[in-house]
Each structure stands twice: as structure tokens, then as C-alpha cells.
Amino acid sequence: MAKEFIVAIELGSSKITGIAGKKNSDGSISILAVVKEDSTSCIRKGVVFNIDKTVLCLTNIIKKLETTLKTNIARVYVGVGGQSIRSVKNVIIKDLPAETVVTQDMINELMDANRSMTYAEQEILDAATQEYKVDALYQLDPVGIPCSRLEGNFLNILWRKTFYKNLNQCLNKAGVEIAELYLAPLALADAVLTETEKRTGCALIDLGADTTTVLVYYKNILRHLAVIPLGSENITKDITSLLMEDSQAEQMKLKYASAYTDNSDIDDNKKYPIDQDRKVESRKFIEIVESRLQEIIENVFYQIPNEYADKLIGGIILTGGGSNMPNIEKAFTNQAPTEKIRIAKFVNQNINSNLPEITAHTGTMNTILGLLAKGDINCAGEEITADLFQSNEPKHTTPTPAPAKGPRSYTETSGTGIVQTEEEKELLRKKKEEQEEAERKAQEEEERRIAKEKRENSPVNKIWKSIKNFASKITEEEE
């Protein structure tokens, strides 16, 4: 019996993670394998900067997974993120004749017009529809409502074109067949947030190694997305100012760092050992850690739009590796617009696994598990067989071809977190050109038909026809 499993890959700043899992009939997911590759030499702030090393990491991930699964991987789900991702609001307006009833085609025109927007050096990865303004009223579904002015409000998620092209180049060079390309922050949000939190208003804060991602939801709609180029690695680098190596600073951070310490609880005589010969004053260490964390928190709350700051009834949800720091809730509570703070240590899905990376529930695997949960296409190819008479190296048979998938229109993927690949965009461009060419030919044909009718119905043409008919009758009478 052919194997069935889903494979997902997350390109993070500190590591690239690959995971394989099987979806069960009861809705749970059984984890089959997890592999990781250090990415500090090829990905910075969530963005690919060394293509060759990234390709090597991706190839190693696939090989390790295939060895564990004893099966070829035909395709994978990939999550993308990074420092340059940001959201921008956009408004498209369509004036209509009085009492025109809004149709779905009109809505699609607005969405297509929005997706056709160009930004300097930026690529639109996805677009989340906010709401529509029908004359003076805001509506989530305006179809069927009569109006004279239709306004579409959108949230466009952008990324630098160069980064987007680098990523696609890496995936192509590594021979990775993409089942779907997802915005990792949106996959994470779907995995850790509840419907109530999204509906009533919440802010999801992913405290990563190199970056901190902020997502704001209200009425089940993504209202803002920003990636701050600060993370827990910045705290580690600050600790190195106490004259120690990065590895020592990381160990001290994990052992002694606290997000918040009351001044009365600080012992000025206490010292933390750096190594066998050196120590650092606890107050100095605490000040360094809290100063950087304070900067991160201030930047986080600066990113929450004022119009939603007082609507976060669902509260603030912290996740990611940085959320494991002691007293992190207290540090955020001191500045948060709400006292309702939750730490999402794990995803909402039912996950079955004995692997320590999964059972640790530290929040570091939430994004990759969210990507895995998105998968609905079998990623398994043919089983790998070993030829005992040739060598001990596994022999790969031809992978199962990917299921036929035509290009998705922008209107179909709006706000889902699905990112168009270069191939899909090229197919859409060709399809649009063909459609425009067909429309042009139809327009020319219609213009020729109208011109012909005008010529036939013109007074001169009618007189000429009358003369011809008269001449024809005379000729017939003479005969």
C-alpha cells in the first residue's frame, strides 16, 4: 500500500526545519520525522542571503527525511517569513450608476485591481480583504446591495522582490517541488489562535531568534502584520558586551535571564559566574537583559494600530522561543493595553509524537506544525529500495508526479496566506494576456459589425440600394 504523509519546511533565521506527519481520520496528526539544519550562515532575519548554502541545507533536509521515511518526497509545503514582510492598507473605489446592485464580478474587479497595484521594489505576497464600503455603510459581504459608490479596503502583505526571487531560486535549485507556499506568520496564527480571540480582537506576538512578528486580528480579519528586526539573539549579543563569547552569553541567558525583576528583589552583592575565573554583577546582567527586552516590547506595541489598541478583548498571545523567558508575561503586562496575556506553548491541533522536539511544548515548533496542519496533498513519492547486489546506497525510484494544479486567481487566494510561486504568476500572466487578446479581437469584431450596420443603414446606402432595385426592375420589365 502506498504511503501517505505531509511534509513541511520552515526557513528560520537560526535553523531550517523539516517535518513529516500523517493526518489521521480523527483529525489528529502523527509526527513521523523532524530534522533540522543550522541556517545562521545563509538566512539572516528570516531572509535568504546565501543561495548556495540555503540550497545545501534544503537538500540535506530532504535527504534526511527521505532516509527516515524510506520514501521519496514528491513535494513539500514551504513557509516563508522574514524581516522585510510588512502590511500596507489600500483602497480601491468604483463609481457606479445610481441604484446599481453589487455583483460578485464587481467584487472580483476590485480585488484584481488591488492585486495589480505596484510598489517600488516590493512584491505583493497576499491580500487580506478588510471590508467594503457601500455608499456610506461598511459591509463584509456587499453582494446584492444597491449603491452608487463601492469601495474596497484591503491589507496588502509585501516582501522585497529580490528576497522573493532568491527564495524561489533556492527552491528551484534544490529541486523542491512546492505543494503550496505559505506565509509562515499566518499559518502560525491559524495554529495557535482560537476563533474567539480572532473575532473579539487580539495581538499575536512571535518572539523569535532574529525577529519578532506582530499580527493583529479583529472580527476574524487580519488587520496588521509587521516583522521587527529584533529578537532573543539581540539579547545574547548584548550580554557579550560583558566580555564573553556568544556561546557563553547564550548559556547565561538561558540560565539567569528574566524578563522582569522587581528592583527590591535584586541583590547587589550577588554575582553570576561567566567561567571558572570570572563573574558578573547580577544587577548589571539584569539591566542589560531588561533594557533590550524593553526595546523589543516597545516596538511591539508601537506596531499595534491605535484603532485596535482598545479592542483587544481576546488579549495578547505570546509564542516562539522568546516566550519561554521567566516573567515574560509580567514584562508585557507592564506596557500592554490589556492585562489579558496568554502564552501559546503549543498548537491547537491534536498532535501525536514521542519526539522530544515536539513533546517539549516550548513554542519553537508552533510554526512548522501550523504549516503541517495546512497540508492536504499527499507528499509521498515512491518507496526507496536498496539494491543489495550493487551497493548499500538507497536507490530512488521515480517520484509520483504532482497532482495537476492550474494557476490560482488572485481572488481565490485573497487573505488565505497562500503565496503565488513564480511559475503560477507566469501562468497567470500568460492567461491574462490571452484573455486580453481574445477581448481585443472580440472588440474589433464588434466594431466591424457596428460599422457594417452603420454603412448598411446610412441614407446614402439606402438611396444606392433603391437605385439598384429600380434598375433591376427596369431590366426585368425590358426582358
Side-chain angles (χ1 to χ4, degrees):
M1 184 178 177
K3 289 187 178 180
E4 289 189 9
F5 53 75
I6 308 294
V7 177
I9 293 178
E10 178 197 1
L11 289 86
S13 299
S14 60
K15 60 186 177 298
I16 296 177
T17 306
I19 192 169
K22 179 178 174 59
K23 291 193 170 181
N24 305 312
S25 56
D26 62 356
S28 64
I29 303 174
S30 297
I31 306 302
L32 305 177
V34 175
V35 295
K36 297 178 182 179
E37 285 282 318
D38 184 276
S39 63
T40 52
S41 62
C42 56
I43 297 178
R44 186 179 296 129
K45 305 292 183 184
V47 174
V48 172
F49 72 90
N50 188 310
I51 292 175
D52 290 342
K53 289 184 178 180
T54 305
V55 170
L56 181 60
C57 285
L58 288 169
T59 304
N60 289 339
I61 288 282
I62 296 295
K63 285 181 178 177
K64 288 178 181 179
L65 285 173
E66 287 182 335
T67 300
T68 302
L69 299 167
K70 295 182 175 58
T71 306
N72 275 320
I73 293 173
R75 61 199 66 90
V76 300
Y77 287 85
V78 180
V80 299
Q83 171 187 347
S84 75
I85 287 181
R86 65 189 182 96
S87 63
V88 176
K89 286 186 176 182
N90 187 40
V91 178
I92 302 291
I93 299 171
K94 186 178 181 67
D95 289 318
L96 305 166
E99 297 302 305
T100 300
V101 177
V102 178
T103 65
Q104 186 59 50
D105 286 341
M106 293 177 187
I107 298 301
N108 290 345
E109 284 178 17
L110 289 180
M111 296 174 78
D112 290 338
N114 174 65
R115 291 303 297 255
S116 299
M117 289 289 296
T118 56
Y119 298 87
E121 298 183 357
Q122 299 280 322
E123 185 90 13
I124 296 180
L125 296 181
D126 196 14
T129 303
Q130 304 294 282
E131 59 264 311
Y132 296 94
K133 191 176 182 182
V134 185
D135 285 338
L137 298 176
Y138 284 98
Q139 301 285 339
L140 293 178
D141 183 9
V143 175
I145 301 175
C147 66
S148 59
R149 189 174 187 272
L150 180 62
E151 177 183 302
N153 292 271
F154 304 95
L155 186 73
N156 291 337
I157 301 172
L158 312 178
W159 203 23
R160 287 191 180 276
K161 290 180 180 179
T162 52
F163 297 157
Y164 177 78
K165 289 179 179 177
N166 285 351
L167 174 66
N168 278 279
Q169 191 175 346
C170 288
L171 295 170
N172 289 334
K173 279 191 172 185
V176 176
E177 180 73 26
I178 301 172
E180 209 77 85
L181 200 60
Y182 273 101
L183 275 168
L186 270 63
L188 170 65
D190 288 342
V192 301
L193 297 180
T194 66
E195 287 300 315
T196 301
E197 287 170 339
K198 283 186 177 182
R199 185 180 66 255
T200 57
C202 70
L204 173 63
I205 300 161
D206 182 18
L207 299 162
D210 271 0
T211 59
T212 298
T213 306
V214 182
L215 299 95
V216 178
Y217 282 86
Y218 182 64
K219 291 185 177 179
N220 279 325
I221 298 171
L222 176 68
R223 303 295 182 171
H224 186 68
L225 169 63
V227 180
I228 302 165
L230 295 171
S232 58
E233 282 296 318
N234 294 92
I235 298 175
T236 301
K237 286 183 173 63
D238 288 350
I239 295 173
T240 60
S241 66
L242 297 172
L243 304 179
M244 65 182 79
E245 295 180 1
D246 287 354
S247 58
Q248 291 175 315
E250 181 67 17
Q251 290 174 3
M252 290 196 69
K253 181 184 73 176
L254 296 174
K255 190 172 183 179
Y256 302 112
S258 174
Y260 174 81
T261 305
D262 192 278
N263 187 59
S264 60
D265 294 333
I266 300 176
D267 185 352
D268 290 328
N269 297 317
K270 188 174 182 179
K271 295 184 178 182
Y272 298 138
I274 299 174
D275 49 37
Q276 293 181 347
D277 303 317
R278 296 181 301 152
K279 294 182 179 180
V280 61
E281 295 177 3
S282 63
R283 179 175 288 276
K284 195 170 185 179
F285 180 86
I286 290 168
E287 286 175 351
I288 287 175
V289 172
E290 291 191 3
S291 294
R292 178 62 74 177
L293 190 59
Q294 181 80 9
E295 181 187 10
I296 293 173
I297 295 173
E298 286 175 357
N299 276 275
V300 164
F301 291 124
Y302 177 77
Q303 286 298 330
I304 298 177
N306 292 331
E307 58 191 299
Y308 301 111
D310 59 347
K311 297 177 181 177
L312 303 180
I313 298 174
I316 292 175
I317 296 86
L318 307 177
T319 192
S323 65
N324 294 298
M325 185 176 286
N327 298 316
I328 191 72
E329 290 169 286
K330 178 64 177 174
F332 271 87
T333 302
N334 289 339
Q335 295 187 56
T338 174
E339 292 184 0
K340 189 175 183 180
I341 294 180
R342 175 175 75 87
I343 298 180
K345 297 280 188 184
F346 204 60
V347 295
N348 298 328
Q349 289 82 5
N350 186 10
I351 306 293
N352 304 320
S353 176
N354 293 322
L355 298 172
E357 298 97 329
I358 306 297
T359 57
H361 286 207
T362 58
T364 56
M365 297 294 289
N366 287 352
T367 299
I368 190 73
L369 289 172
L371 290 168
L372 188 67
K374 289 286 184 185
D376 56 4
I377 299 174
N378 184 20
C379 297
E382 297 293 328
E383 289 192 27
I384 297 174
T385 58
D387 191 337
L388 300 177
F389 299 98
Q390 294 286 333
S391 68
N392 292 325
E393 290 295 320
K395 180 181 177 182
H396 291 251
T397 55
T398 306
T400 359
K405 182 180 70 172
R408 299 178 301 268
S409 72
Y410 286 138
T411 55
E412 287 174 348
T413 62
S414 184
T416 62
I418 300 174
V419 179
Q420 299 280 341
T421 63
E422 285 288 357
E423 292 77 10
E424 287 175 329
K425 287 189 175 184
E426 183 60 30
L427 285 171
L428 279 171
R429 278 192 287 268
K430 289 180 179 178
K431 187 177 179 181
K432 186 176 181 181
E433 287 173 1
E434 290 172 359
Q435 185 178 351
E436 288 175 349
E437 179 65 16
E439 289 175 354
R440 184 185 64 79
K441 288 181 178 179
Q443 180 67 23
E444 289 177 354
E445 184 65 29
E446 179 66 15
E447 288 174 357
R448 282 195 292 268
R449 184 187 66 78
I450 293 172
K452 184 179 178 182
E453 286 183 356
K454 285 183 177 179
R455 286 196 302 272
E456 290 176 349
N457 296 325
S458 67
V460 173
N461 193 55
K462 287 180 179 179
I463 293 171
W464 176 245
K465 280 184 178 180
S466 299
I467 294 171
K468 285 177 69 177
N469 291 334
F470 179 74
S472 178
K473 285 180 180 180
I474 292 175
T475 304
E476 288 175 0
E477 287 175 0
E478 289 178 350
E479 291 177 352

